[in-house]
Amino acid sequence: MDTSSVCLLLRFLLLFVVCITSSESNYIRYNTNSTIVPGKLNVHLVPHSHDDVGWLKTIDQYYVGSNNTIQGACVQNVLDSLIPALLADKNRKFIYVEQAFFQRWWREQSGEVQKIVKQLVNSGQLEFINGGMCMHDEAAAHYIDMIDQTTLGHRFIKEVFGITPRIGWQIDPFGHSAVQAYLLGAEVGFDSLFFARIDYQDRAKRKDEKSLEVVWQGSKSFGSSAQIFSGAFPENYEPPGNFYYEVNDDSEDSPTVQDDINLFDYNVPQRVNEFVAAAMSQANITRTNHIMWTMGTDFKYQYAHTWYRQLDKFIHYVNQDGRVHALYSTPSIYTDAKHAANEAWPIKTDDYFPYADRLNGYWTGYFTSRPALKGYVRFTSGYYLAARQLEYFKGKSALGPNTDSLADALAIAQHHDAVSGTEKQHVANDYAKRLAIGYTEAEKSVSASLAFLTEAATKTGHRTPQIQFQQCPLLNISYCPASEVDFSHGKDLVVVVYNPLGWKRDDVIRIPVANENVVVRDSSGKEIQSQLLPIPDAFLGLRNYQAAAYLGVSPSVNPKYWLAFSAFVPPLGFSTYYVSKSKQAAATSDRDIAHRSGNESDAFEVGLGNLKLVYSRKEGKLTQYINRKRKVKESLEQTHKYYASYGNDFTINAQASGAYIFRPNGSSIPINSNEKSPLTVLRGPIVHEVHQKINSWIYQTTRLFKGKEHAEVEFIVGPIPIDDGVGKEIATEIKTNLTSRKTFYTDSNGRDFIERVRDYRKDWNLEVNQPVAGNYYPINLGIYLRDKSREFSVLVDRSVGGSSIVDGQLELMVHRRLLVDDSRGVAEALNETVCVSDKCTGLTVIGKYYFRIDPVGEGARWRRTFGQEIYSPFLLAFTEVVKE
């Protein structure tokens, strides 16, 4: 027997004697009073519970512990059992993240319990980590929403406990953004950022190089001034295998530390050996003598004593053994220890997208999943920004209507299983319901604020009365009862247009009206130019169906026209316009049916100013983009296609396309336009429109506005047919002749643009197994490509996935309808439907994107300024006034 074996035997004999002595008194006082020990491997045990604010159950169901047939989870139990467990030993620690849950629980506690919790926070036993209302998504969330939801949580923590969280803890989002690192990390004031989900190929290389922990410089502009120490966990955010102790949970089978010598199955030496072996294994892939074990996972510590009882024993016996040192810790303590080690860390730039957890498992489908919910989140987010400003101008009401409910709903909606689209359907419905309730409350506040502001304006000579304003959240589907005024009763329609941005804007307003005999005047009474555009049947059908589905009303009369006019609005100000009955019709749009046959010239132009789009009558599609002012002339072709979704083939590498995963079954399939449906062209003094009925479930309108140098494309997609038993993922693509050399650029949460190179990763040699899904990236603002002379930009109105699969081409995935679950936990196919009178059809999505071509280097200004205008559109409010 060698010397090391003798020493090990002596240690176990010592432990054996200690246990016999302790058993005589039937009580063991576990020594958990430990600090960091220099020169030893320190194992930082971090107790935590990851509490999703909605996923398989709604946020309320998770909190109270209902609907447990889906998932046994109760956050009330977590927090209720945690406090006495911490009080039982002053060395125990716990970190908590989701303020949406904690604040609910806090409000229900007595003053005595609240006092105890404050003492636990002040002593460092309970530490708030991350501190937002939720653990927000990093792909589908806009940076403004990320800031807002974080602010709501931090404000409460500061006001109640007088502290600010130090650590970022994004352990479950499916990939990690550069904006999270520098803006929601370093600029927030965090000392470090920890997460779990990085690409499996990237993780393998980082383990070999001991580079799971890095200094992340997420901003190319800020560089080292906004860097943050960041760490990816070796596997996930659970404990190492065999160290899992949730009671009544059969998903893991970890032996307890059985240290009573009077009972069978005494196993202290075995469990200590297993602990030391796991610690040494992790130490081999980690720099310094500090490693972190995340002791918890989803909705754990519902019976906190079951965890702490075992952790107490491990700390006690492992430290008696002496080969490694275990201690209760937090990410703050761990970060301080890493900093004190004075280690040189690898530098990380850009981001951690896209994320794949295994072969064929690219989590790039969720960039688009639930596009209607994503659009609703973005719409209410922009509205909330404007509503807060108006609320401030009037003064916030504590008792009356305010924006608080919308703030809470939006904060929860940023959760990484909310706006991401990876929740069960009933949970998605719950998020939308909360947003609708919050919007309705904020709408009342906006109306009161506008009445206040217009009353003040009246004193300076304007004519707007103080009356209740109405708004039209369904204006996008031409449903706006407030604008469909019957002018025969001597009333005018008043349109108040508010600009929430800090610069003067002129944009075209489009509202549905009931008849054509109308005229538009500004606040001085001067008639302004306007245009009538007939509302297509595709919009009217969508309007009536959605109104019945979501409002429970069936409009008896449909508006005939869109009334379009230009509104000029000062920064952070409003303008007022009046729509009145006229003796003659407003300027109507000239209608041209571009048939695919005949003697007419094949090519025709649309556009009012410098920008022209050229279409082919024969092919029924866009062929050329011309901007005479910028001397741009470029071939351009826009089409639609779909990817047939891969199902479950039951092989060893089985992987279906689902809410999370994008896995196409082969190459894309073109969606050819209906040859029997010609292009319809509408021309007028304000806007030119080209209408295309691609097929029975895709309708598209392309608009060019007077004075603008970009094109707007509005699409209606759905219901996606699945009669053939095949799920489909719909993309629109635009092809140019730009020599992009595999390179394109996508935004990070609506801010910085990051260079992407097809089939390439900067941090490792990519093994390409999914040439489409593996090149998709999240888009919140836009995507562009360029060559030596031109750059082509596309901006979006919501989060989508997109890529450049071939040089010169950009594509956006706009809708998904799938028939198989992708085995990532949601256990539900992404097959959204809308039901009216017990009849359900697949979801129809309406959305917009915008494109423009510039000389190289000149597109950034448009992307930034117009991108902000997309996020913050004009806020419109309506009322009626009797003519004087």
Side-chain angles (χ1 to χ4, degrees), residues 645-707:
S645 302
Y646 205 96
N648 190 347
D649 59 11
F650 302 102
T651 65
I652 191 170
N653 292 320
Q655 180 55 69
S657 211
Y660 301 90
I661 307 296
F662 173 32
R663 187 186 181 188
N665 190 1
S667 302
S668 62
I669 300 170
I671 299 175
N672 297 318
S673 58
N674 189 341
E675 294 186 1
K676 296 181 180 179
S677 298
L679 303 178
T680 300
V681 183
L682 302 176
R683 293 183 173 90
I686 304 292
V687 60
H688 286 187
E689 292 186 346
V690 179
H691 293 253
Q692 297 172 271
K693 185 176 181 181
I694 309 300
N695 58 23
S696 61
W697 50 276
I698 301 179
Y699 190 93
Q700 176 175 289
T701 306
T702 304
R703 301 186 180 95
L704 285 83
F705 295 101
K706 178 182 178 181

Side-chain angles (χ1 to χ4, degrees), residues 352-365:
Y352 288 91
F353 284 117
Y355 161 60
D357 60 350
R358 61 178 183 238
L359 182 71
N360 300 322
Y362 277 97
W363 297 47
T364 54

Side-chain angles (χ1 to χ4, degrees), residues 465 467-468 470 481-482 485-486 491-494 878-882:
I467 50 179
Q468 192 73 16
Q470 299 181 62
V485 177
D486 183 357
K491 292 183 178 180
D492 286 352
L493 173 67
V494 181
F878 306 89
T879 190
E880 297 178 15
V881 62
V882 178

Side-chain angles (χ1 to χ4, degrees), residues 313-341:
K313 293 179 180 182
F314 274 117
I315 293 172
H316 179 80
Y317 292 118
V318 165
N319 291 348
Q320 282 187 348
D321 173 80
R323 285 173 287 170
V324 302
H325 184 73
L327 69 155
Y328 280 119
S329 187
T330 68
S332 297
I333 296 171
Y334 179 77
T335 298
D336 291 342
K338 288 286 185 176
H339 178 72

